[in-house]
Amino acid sequence: MILVHHLNDSRSQRVLWLLEELGLAYEIKRYQRDPATLLAPPELKAVHPLGKSPVVDDGDVRVAETGAVVEHLLDAHDLDGRLRPARGTADGRKCTYWLHYAEGSAMPPLLLKLVFTQLPRRAPGFVRPLVRSIAAKAQSGFIDPQIKTHADWWEAELAATGWFAGPAFSAADVMMSFPLEAAASRALDLSAYPNIARFLQTIHARPAWKRALERGGEYAYG
């Protein structure tokens, strides 16, 4: 049996979705963020030293990091290659690229956006105006332009087929869902990005995505 160590409002929602797309049986062990700090509970450190989710136990194999989890599940269970284009092909290389890009390049500016948006709210009242000014300059001068560069590229990449790695839905789209959802929630006016908007509408209509949401619970792109 596959066990997913699932943190609410986290990237592990993608793992549940992939498992549903693969039609695999799995169990969920739930962890809740601290409502004040939004950090994962210390119990997760007993699972992995970093205390982060997702972590998946597949028999006697334990895998952490979303991209590594996705690759493991594809290698072990997607035996007909339905969710990964053939290795060595152009689409196969694109799929591998997006699996790594989603966390390696796409998420850092989105995380910075989240941090600098919350900083003024968490600062003591007497320094809040200064923190708000610094945060605004960081966002307008660096973070927002970075996000726009990425979003413009996503929009262009999705123009051809509506998917990230060739003409069909793949694990690349599962991985890329979280950055696009986070960007739509924090930073983008989707009226300027019709292909991104269409991608999100399409994945949210997939039966497997809906089943994963029922199993994992509503989430807020943390």
Side-chain angles (χ1 to χ4, degrees), residues 5-14 33 53-54 178 218-222:
H5 297 272
H6 176 60
L7 179 67
N8 67 304
D9 289 346
S10 80
R11 294 153 162 86
S12 63
Q13 187 65 34
R14 284 178 297 190
R33 294 182 183 274
S53 177
F178 195 87
E218 296 289 338
Y219 74 113
Y221 321 120

Side-chain angles (χ1 to χ4, degrees), residues 33-218:
R33 294 182 183 274
D34 183 297
T37 66
L38 301 181
L39 297 176
E43 290 80 5
L44 260 175
K45 286 194 173 181
V47 179
H48 187 276
L50 295 182
K52 296 182 181 295
S53 177
V55 178
V56 168
D57 293 330
D58 187 2
D60 60 355
V61 175
R62 173 166 287 176
V63 189
E65 290 291 340
T66 315
V69 169
V70 169
E71 290 206 83
H72 166 76
L73 292 174
L74 293 175
D75 289 341
H77 301 288
D78 186 26
L79 302 183
D80 60 358
R82 181 167 53 89
L83 293 183
R84 179 165 56 186
R87 295 181 182 275
T89 65
D91 289 343
R93 287 188 290 272
K94 288 179 71 173
C95 185
T96 299
Y97 174 80
W98 293 113
L99 289 181
H100 293 274
Y101 163 89
E103 291 293 334
S105 294
M107 282 307 299
L110 292 166
L111 179 59
L112 286 173
K113 181 71 174 178
L114 179 64
V115 169
F116 277 87
T117 298
Q118 291 187 349
L119 271 178
R121 304 172 192 167
R122 296 175 176 268
F126 69 97
V127 297
R128 193 166 295 151
L130 176 61
V131 173
R132 183 180 296 113
S133 175
I134 293 171
K137 289 178 180 177
Q139 291 185 70
S140 63
F142 175 72
I143 299 170
D144 290 345
Q146 283 290 309
I147 293 174
K148 183 180 186 303
T149 296
H150 286 274
D152 289 348
W153 188 35
W154 305 336
E155 181 72 10
E157 287 291 308
L158 290 168
T161 68
W163 304 116
F164 279 100
F169 172 80
S170 73
D173 303 300
V174 174
M175 277 298 292
M176 285 301 296
S177 65
F178 195 87
L180 269 63
E181 287 172 324
S185 173
R186 301 171 195 170
L188 297 185
D189 176 2
L190 288 183
S191 66
Y193 295 97
N195 294 328
I196 293 175
R198 189 177 305 111
F199 173 86
L200 293 175
Q201 291 168 359
T202 301
I203 64 171
H204 292 166
R206 292 181 71 87
W209 190 91
K210 294 179 180 180
R211 291 195 302 270
L213 197 63
E214 291 173 0
R215 293 287 304 272
E218 296 289 338

